[in-house]
Amino acid sequence: MATIQSSPAPALRLNNVALAVADLDSMIDWYRNVFGLQVETRGHFNPVNADFAMLTGNGFRLELVSRQGGEHRPADRSAPPLHLHALGWKAIVLESDDLAATTATLTALGVEIVWAEQALTPTLASTMVRDPEGNLVNIFGELAQTCCS
């Protein structure tokens, strides 16, 4: 096997995360209403006969792709930690400066909460939610500090 002298990785950067969805319009609305993402562009990918929408906001891009016809296989809805037994990408992971406020907003919007402000490490917590088609969105933030007298 040949040794690679230099890596192409320095020339690469993340463009977007792509998510296959069954109902493009309703998923655009959900990501717009819940996370404030805006539609950058919409179009059609001829090679795979799929419609797409590129959503942007808060420093990231999310590509929603929908192909009509055929049978859609639903997202794995295993609850954590069993969700890690299904191989593949697990979640869109976001970060919040105020996880408690973000969690309260998501709750008020009626978003499906998998867990709320779950301590992951001594300083990190997350609120995990599902979009309407079952895909996980995990939001990290600092663990709320409690002070004792």
Side-chain angles (χ1 to χ4, degrees):
M1 180 183 330
T3 303
I4 297 175
Q5 296 299 318
S6 64
S7 170
L12 300 177
R13 64 187 177 279
L14 182 64
N15 181 279
N16 65 269
V17 175
L19 179 63
V21 300
D23 187 334
L24 185 60
D25 290 329
S26 71
M27 293 298 279
I28 289 170
D29 288 343
W30 190 86
Y31 279 94
R32 182 184 294 147
N33 294 332
V34 172
F35 295 114
L37 301 182
Q38 298 300 313
V39 176
E40 177 181 289
T41 187
R42 286 187 75 157
H44 186 80
F45 292 133
N46 288 328
V48 292
N49 192 27
D51 294 322
F52 75 92
M54 185 67 71
L55 308 179
T56 62
N58 301 321
F60 74 98
R61 297 172 77 208
L62 175 63
E63 176 186 334
L64 301 178
V65 183
S66 183
R67 186 170 190 275
Q68 298 304 311
E71 181 182 339
H72 290 109
R73 287 178 262 157
D76 175 50
R77 293 189 63 91
S78 299
L82 299 179
H83 73 300
L84 297 177
H85 289 259
L87 302 180
W89 302 104
K90 295 291 100 187
I92 296 171
V93 181
L94 306 174
E95 186 175 5
S96 173
D97 290 333
D98 187 342
L99 187 58
T102 299
T103 303
T105 299
L106 294 170
T107 300
L109 289 170
V111 172
E112 180 183 345
I113 306 286
V114 175
W115 66 40
E117 299 177 68
Q118 173 70 45
L120 301 175
T121 72
T123 60
L124 183 67
S126 84
T127 292
M128 187 181 295
V129 302
R130 288 192 188 277
D131 73 15
E133 292 187 2
N135 302 293
L136 291 171
V137 179
N138 198 6
I139 304 155
F140 286 166
E142 288 186 17
L143 184 62
Q145 299 299 316
T146 56
C147 182
C148 45
S149 321

